[in-house]
Amino acid sequence: MSTKLVFSDIEIDKQLISTLDEEGIKEPTEIQEKAIPLLLDGEDVIAQSNTGTGKTLAFGIPIVQSIEEGTRDIEALVLVPTRELADQVTKEIKKISRYKKLKMTKVCGGESPNIQKASIRRNPNLLIATPGRLIDFIERGVVNLDWVKFLVIDEADRMLDLGFMPDVERIVSKLPSNRQTLFFSATIPPEIQNIASNFLNSPKKITVTPNMTAAETVQQFLIRTKEEDWDKRDILRRLIIEQKVENALVCLLYTSPSPRDATLSRMASSG
């Protein structure tokens, strides 16, 4: 199926369709198929969608299409919990927006605030930010958010876990009330639902994946090792090489022996 046919069904600009095609994006993912039409219609949306499901383009495509070239105001604000996610979102949106003369900048901790201030003085249309650094810039009068039309809160559950929600609430209080708000979260516990109800206006709810399930693009492995297998790094190294792993999250789980195993261990040591 061609990109033109699929994305034409959800009213994407021809130039943007061509750019998507050049990037090898042929068909919308489930979250993109469900979210993009609602966002283009101006609806507020709360979407439950895991990392790896294509959610960045689910909000990136409508934002790129909607922002007019030549504007000198920040019209779209994307709030993310980490610098790494800010990097990722910036890269993905840059790829699909190159046909337009849009300017975007990134504001996050761990990087030079002076460089970021200089970038803001160049009048970006789109701002990708972590809450802490953005709050600092707001308080210092560095950034003006009076013209924001689109607010995206990405990975809201991680924002909550990391304690950023008070900062997010302060930022939202500085934005125009007639904005469009998009809320993305891998899980939507009651706390997230309550927060979203304060930010969004009659939102449409989208659920793509159930709570606590991995995206289809994520493979999971459980490798059992014995206590005497001290060189677990060698086991991990071989797995990465054999499976040609490029990105991975490694968790170490320690389990206590069963009562029977403990008894046998004591018998062996006493015998």
Side-chain angles (χ1 to χ4, degrees), residues 22-54:
E22 291 170 6
E23 291 296 326
I25 303 168
K26 303 295 182 182
E27 299 182 28
T29 63
E30 185 180 358
I31 184 62
Q32 292 164 10
E33 193 170 26
K34 290 181 175 180
I36 292 174
L38 293 174
L39 302 188
L40 290 177
D41 284 343
E43 300 281 359
D44 282 9
V45 167
I46 177 169
Q48 183 177 342
S49 180
N50 286 352
T51 299
T53 55

Side-chain angles (χ1 to χ4, degrees), residues 249-262:
L249 174 65
V250 180
C251 299
L252 299 179
L253 302 176
Y254 294 93
T255 57
S256 301
S258 67
R260 178 177 178 275
D261 290 339

